[in-house]
Amino acid sequence: MRLLKLLLLFVFVQVSAQQGGMWIPSLLKGMNESEMKNLGMKITAEQIYSINKSSLKDAVPQFNGGCTSEVISDKGLILTNHHCGFDAIQNHSSVEHDYITDGFWAYKMEDELLNKGMVVSFVVRIDDVTTKVLEGTASLTEADKQKKIQENIANLTRTSPKESWQDNMIKTFYNGNQYLLFVTETFKDIRLVGAPPSSIGKFGDVTDNWVWPRHTGDFSLFRIYADKDNRPAEYAADNVPYKPKYYFPISIKGLKENDFTMVMGYPGTTQEYLPAVAVEQILTIIDPTKIELRDVTLKVQDGFMRKDNAIKIQYAAKNATIANAWKKWKGEIKGLKKANAVGAKQQFEKQFQEKVNATGKQAEYGTLLADFEKNYAEIKDYALAKAFWDETVIRNGELLSAGYKLYQLEQLYNTKGEQAFNDRRNTLINGWDEFYKDFNAAVDQKVFEQLIDIYSKKYPKQFLPASMENINPEVLSNEVFTKSQLVSFDKVKAILLGDAKTVIEKLNNDKGYQVTKAMADAHLKNVAPKYDEINLKITATQRTYMKAILELFPKNRIFPDANSTLRVTYGKIKGYKPNDAVIYEPFTYLDGVIEKYIPGDYEYDVSKKLIDLYNKKDYGVYGVNGRMPLDFIATNHTTGGNSGSPALDANGNLIGLNFDRVWEGTMSDIYYSPEICRNIMVDIRYVLFIVDKFAGAENLIKELKIITPQKKK
Ligand code: ARG
Ligand code: GLU
């Protein structure tokens, strides 16, 4: 009995150890493929990625640079998240046509809405070009080496074979230890097809974001249009729906705990191989600072948005973006602490050092850990100052961010002269109505006041501009927002009139510009150069450390950090135990929406139509035993960028749509644990139920290839 238990435990540990990691689709054969089969996968690595035949990867384009989507019909219909399509949905919305609130459905193709600037990008092929990228770099110093690498990359990107309508892109993996070339195809005529009301697509909004149990129907539909040769083309009325190389069949056969799942998509950034000292710095200094600056921003914006519908529309997307990372960092701190990630890293580092010594690699790798200690100690204040810069001027302060654009304009004049100045000024003016359309000076004044208060008190003293010492934030923000010309599009246009000298003089007399300039000078002159210098050393150390890990621990499952390239992650549908005495099940149902329903609420309102369907249990073929499945979780290792990623079953059929992770597990960007890290997906049956029963968009349902429990394929 005891033995059996031990054996079972062993099997369990083995199986859970086979999860985590975001793997390169062209390199799955071998270890990954056999792990996936062990976990239950029925298809082959060749079916996922092939250069000879159509394969799953042909149906997984990156969506508009930051998200993922999947092709689900032979007419180029793609599915992604509501929050990925949200900018587009917002752009088509006004107080009269409020698609954010009411949703949008194209019942015929003519009704689909064009989205300027939107793109989706397919991977055609992946090739290893490491040797070519590193050619001629062996004996160079660090700075020269980086320069040569960039040159080689530029050359290869230009000269590697591809079709005229395709692009080459080279990305580094394992921190500069491997380089892969991606041939891609980017489509530019992408139209909005459908989006549920926010009360479905964003149900629970900020409060439920990153949280399980979840009841969000986070999806939207778009369509790819191509020219008559099925190639990428700019928008044209006579473009035709794209004929994909592959599209996903959709399975509504049902799911159960421990079923195999995999997710394909474009995860953005992870930092799984940071040393303990770096994780400690994130945990105790960087995350808390960024959180504090966003706390105040969000509180102010929220207060205005709840009271004023026009402001709610203006700030909806910005506010959601700010809140998103803010909440993730909070979960990350909690998770890293609870999992004792720093301790685990220290443990590994002890092993690492022993291995270095045992293999006689002291000369090559002996000082790496000490170098990390030294470099991170040195960068500490600079990194803190950079966090302030990012979260005040670049992100949360809107007048400040506008001021910074003007600061760059002044710099441009100083370095490149009048012509460059004129070109940039025109670009600024042309682009700025978009920005000011969603800018509210009353909101930003309050945000500004709070931000500079913290800035003046907690920015590292040695870099703090004299003009920002001992300020009265209320007085200063009042002065800035009553006097500055940066508070509206008309005023900013006026200040930009005239020859360069005049404009720059006017700018330097502007109170808002003066504050920005003081902050920008502090950052760009006293912080950034030194930060970059130390960071270059850290990057080099990290690269060697990564090389050493690959070399000294060949049996470990070592996947490359995310870098916005196509990856495959796999695992099982599974609940988890977030806290003592609490167990979470892996599935939610529409019942939970009704439980959370607060009539008229900002986050938890439910539309009457959905309530009616619920009361009648009118779920069509999508319900099971009188209940409507909604979201589910699994052990797939995902991160930002995986939003909209297809969740696939053992046969490679679409069963869901990735959109989030659980809060207790957001530390997986730095430290993945199969115990607690879960990705959250919308059940595809809920998506179809909304399209079919809620929206009545039969035109779309007819395009899909649906595998039902009855007619087994
Ligand atoms: N947390 C998810 C992600 O990182 C969803 C964000 C969008 N949802 C929201 N309520 N802001 O993108
Ligand atoms: N919501 C995220 C995104 O937009 C995905 C969730 C995550 O970070 O895991 O990419």
Side-chain angles (χ1 to χ4, degrees):
M1 189 61 204
R2 177 90 189 276
L3 193 73
L4 185 71
K5 256 194 195 156
L6 261 175
L7 203 71
L8 279 177
L9 186 74
F10 178 73
V11 170
F12 175 73
V13 170
Q14 282 295 95
V15 169
S16 55
Q18 292 177 347
Q19 299 169 61
M22 338 176 131
W23 307 91
I24 301 168
S26 52
L27 304 175
L28 295 174
K29 282 180 189 150
M31 181 199 71
N32 294 124
E33 186 171 26
S34 74
E35 283 185 356
M36 293 165 96
K37 292 200 160 150
N38 277 340
L39 290 166
M41 184 176 75
K42 304 259 166 51
I43 57 173
T44 62
E46 180 72 15
Q47 287 172 282
I48 297 171
Y49 174 93
S50 168
I51 39 170
N52 305 313
K53 288 194 280 276
S54 78
S55 54
L56 303 196
K57 72 118 172 58
D58 296 320
V60 190
Q62 188 175 39
F63 183 81
N64 213 21
C67 283
T68 304
S69 55
E70 51 276 0
V71 188
I72 54 171
S73 90
D74 63 355
K75 297 189 187 68
L77 188 64
I78 54 173
L79 181 62
T80 188
N81 288 146
H82 185 265
H83 77 263
C84 296
F86 193 70
D87 262 331
I89 301 165
Q90 181 188 3
N91 277 334
H92 292 296
S93 294
S94 58
V95 175
E96 297 80 50
H97 291 282
D98 189 350
Y99 302 139
I100 298 181
T101 307
D102 305 326
F104 168 82
W105 305 99
Y107 293 97
K108 31 186 202 327
M109 284 190 188
E110 302 88 88
D111 296 340
E112 296 173 0
L113 300 174
L114 166 69
N115 305 288
K116 260 196 243 150
M118 182 178 276
V119 294
V120 307
S121 211
F122 291 87
V123 170
V124 181
R125 207 176 63 232
I126 309 174
D127 293 319
D128 194 309
V129 290
T130 311
T131 325
K132 290 180 192 161
V133 168
L134 296 180
E135 215 166 76
T137 64
S139 56
L140 301 178
T141 62
E142 185 56 27
D144 288 344
K145 183 172 184 170
Q146 289 314 316
K147 225 174 100 202
K148 179 75 184 157
I149 288 176
Q150 289 317 315
E151 270 170 39
N152 287 348
I153 288 179
N155 279 334
L156 286 164
T157 307
R158 199 155 23 85
T159 57
S160 300
K162 64 166 185 69
E163 303 294 344
S164 61
W165 62 90
Q166 299 175 332
D167 296 298
N168 286 329
M169 174 184 80
I170 294 174
K171 288 269 195 164
T172 180
F173 293 71
Y174 297 108
N175 306 104
N177 287 289
Q178 184 181 29
Y179 290 86
L180 299 181
L181 167 80
F182 294 79
V183 179
T184 62
E185 253 171 45
T186 299
F187 289 81
K188 296 170 189 155
D189 183 350
I190 314 298
R191 303 185 199 169
L192 176 62
V193 174
S198 287
S199 60
I200 291 171
K202 256 156 85 83
F203 183 73
D205 201 6
V206 175
T207 307
D208 274 12
N209 189 22
W210 298 111
V211 168
W212 185 255
R214 189 67 156 278
H215 299 87
T216 313
D218 194 347
F219 78 93
S220 60
L221 291 156
F222 289 81
R223 192 184 306 280
I224 305 173
Y225 282 79
D227 69 13
K228 57 178 188 339
D229 300 320
N230 205 33
R231 292 195 187 139
E234 297 295 335
Y235 167 80
D238 59 352
N239 280 348
V240 292
Y242 169 65
K243 273 218 153 316
K245 293 185 195 135
Y246 185 75
Y247 67 96
F248 286 110
I250 296 173
S251 169
I252 59 169
K253 283 157 71 174
L255 312 171
K256 51 185 194 321
E257 185 150 19
N258 291 317
D259 279 355
F260 170 85
T261 68
M262 67 181 204
V263 168
M264 297 178 74
Y266 298 80
T269 319
T270 57
Q271 302 175 288
E272 309 284 342
Y273 305 97
L274 287 181
V277 54
V279 176
E280 175 93 40
Q281 202 167 89
I282 292 173
L283 192 60
T284 56
I285 300 172
I286 306 301
D287 275 0
T289 301
K290 295 192 293 191
I291 290 168
E292 185 181 5
L293 292 163
R294 290 194 182 202
D295 270 337
V296 296
T297 307
L298 290 166
K299 233 183 232 135
V300 171
Q301 291 181 350
D302 242 44
F304 280 94
M305 287 167 72
R306 279 174 192 268
K307 276 187 255 146
D308 184 329
N309 202 40
I311 296 184
K312 182 173 159 186
I313 293 178
Q314 281 183 310
Y315 278 77
K318 286 186 281 197
N319 180 271
T321 308
I322 296 170
N324 192 40
W326 164 80
K327 193 157 179 185
K328 192 196 91 168
W329 293 324
K330 292 180 35 156
E332 187 170 271
I333 292 182
K334 187 175 139 99
L336 288 173
K337 282 189 182 153
K338 185 161 176 181
N340 189 17
V342 173
K345 295 254 173 192
Q346 283 164 342
Q347 196 70 32
F348 174 76
E349 284 162 20
K350 225 175 108 210
Q351 274 180 39
F352 176 86
Q353 200 65 42
E354 282 163 14
K355 198 73 165 238
V356 170
N357 297 340
T359 49
K361 293 274 178 181
Q362 289 93 335
E364 229 177 314
Y365 304 136
T367 66
L368 287 174
L369 295 170
D371 290 345
F372 275 134
E373 293 288 338
K374 196 166 113 273
N375 292 334
Y376 277 100
E378 205 188 335
I379 207 167
K380 194 170 121 204
D381 279 2
Y382 296 93
L384 174 62
K386 184 178 180 300
F388 265 102
W389 170 254
D390 290 342
E391 293 299 321
T392 52
V393 178
I394 302 298
R395 172 65 75 178
N396 300 312
E398 295 177 273
L399 178 137
L400 288 171
S401 77
Y404 179 49
K405 294 227 164 74
L406 296 169
Y407 177 89
Q408 291 173 308
L409 182 68
E410 180 175 354
Q411 301 296 309
L412 193 69
Y413 175 68
N414 294 338
T415 52
K416 299 249 169 76
E418 187 96 26
Q419 186 56 45
F421 174 93
N422 283 333
D423 293 345
R424 176 73 62 86
R425 166 175 48 195
N426 293 341
T427 323
L428 276 181
I429 292 180
N430 287 334
W432 250 346
D433 49 347
E434 280 284 311
F435 170 81
Y436 279 103
K437 178 168 81 65
D438 290 338
F439 174 85
N440 181 297
V443 177
D444 192 46
Q445 174 171 347
K446 281 283 166 226
V447 171
F448 178 93
E449 181 185 322
Q450 304 269 334
L451 291 178
I452 55 165
D453 185 27
I454 305 172
Y455 177 88
S456 68
K457 290 179 183 139
K458 299 196 177 166
Y459 192 70
K461 282 282 167 287
Q462 66 273 37
F463 311 129
L464 187 70
S467 60
M468 296 298 278
E469 277 170 34
N470 305 317
I471 50 158
N472 178 327
E474 202 184 336
V475 172
L476 180 60
S477 79
N478 235 324
E479 195 187 346
V480 166
F481 281 81
T482 45
K483 290 194 185 147
S484 175
Q485 304 300 301
L486 308 188
V487 293
S488 78
F489 187 44
D490 287 341
K491 287 185 174 173
V492 90
K493 256 193 313 202
I495 205 175
L496 284 171
L497 279 180
D499 60 281
K501 274 225 165 62
T502 318
V503 172
I504 285 167
E505 206 180 296
K506 283 193 282 181
L507 284 177
N508 279 284
N509 286 324
D510 185 281
K511 191 68 200 172
Y513 188 74
Q514 287 167 2
V515 174
T516 318
K517 190 167 179 174
M519 293 171 81
D521 276 342
H523 182 71
L524 296 168
K525 295 190 176 142
N526 302 329
V527 177
K530 189 75 186 171
Y531 176 89
D532 291 344
E533 182 193 316
I534 308 168
N535 201 35
L536 193 66
K537 286 195 276 182
I538 291 179
T539 309
T541 310
Q542 185 74 45
R543 182 177 60 236
T544 314
Y545 183 51
M546 194 71 239
K547 176 164 177 270
I549 294 176
L550 287 166
E551 200 177 298
L552 302 178
F553 298 87
K555 293 222 175 75
N556 286 15
R557 298 170 82 255
I558 305 166
F559 58 92
D561 269 320
N563 60 357
S564 295
T565 61
L566 183 61
R567 301 294 179 91
V568 176
T569 172
Y570 46 86
K572 292 185 159 203
I573 297 178
K574 222 166 183 35
Y576 71 106
K577 198 171 168 350
N579 287 307
D580 189 31
V582 181
I583 292 174
Y584 282 149
E585 292 180 1
F587 302 101
T588 61
Y589 295 87
L590 187 57
D591 310 58
V593 170
I594 304 301
E595 285 170 7
K596 286 178 176 174
Y597 173 39
I598 306 173
D601 185 70
Y602 182 73
E603 300 183 297
Y604 295 104
D605 201 7
V606 180
S607 75
K608 175 159 181 318
K609 180 116 181 238
L610 190 60
I611 298 175
D612 287 348
L613 289 164
Y614 171 79
N615 286 335
K616 284 189 264 165
K617 305 283 171 272
D618 186 4
Y619 304 143
V621 290
Y622 314 111
V624 240
N625 304 327
R627 297 175 87 195
M628 186 62 237
L630 214 161
D631 288 340
F632 67 107
I633 52 175
T635 58
N636 301 298
H637 188 178
T638 52
T639 187
N642 271 123
S643 274
S645 293
L648 307 169
D649 68 7
N651 296 307
N653 296 325
L654 189 68
I655 51 172
L657 178 62
N658 184 73
F659 71 98
D660 211 357
R661 275 174 290 165
V662 304
W663 199 50
E664 298 84 358
T666 57
M667 60 161 182
S668 65
D669 287 349
I670 292 173
Y671 185 77
Y672 175 87
S673 150
E675 297 304 314
I676 199 147
C677 296
R678 297 289 178 273
N679 69 312
I680 309 181
M681 297 151 281
V682 199
D683 194 307
I684 202 68
R685 290 170 292 182
Y686 189 61
V687 173
L688 299 185
F689 160 74
I690 296 295
V691 173
D692 189 344
K693 289 283 168 177
F694 178 85
E698 272 167 49
N699 54 317
L700 301 177
I701 297 291
K702 277 197 203 120
E703 284 186 38
L704 311 174
K705 191 195 282 171
I706 298 176
I707 302 168
T708 60
Q710 295 83 20
K711 43 172 183 179
K712 294 213 173 83
K713 59 161 200 167

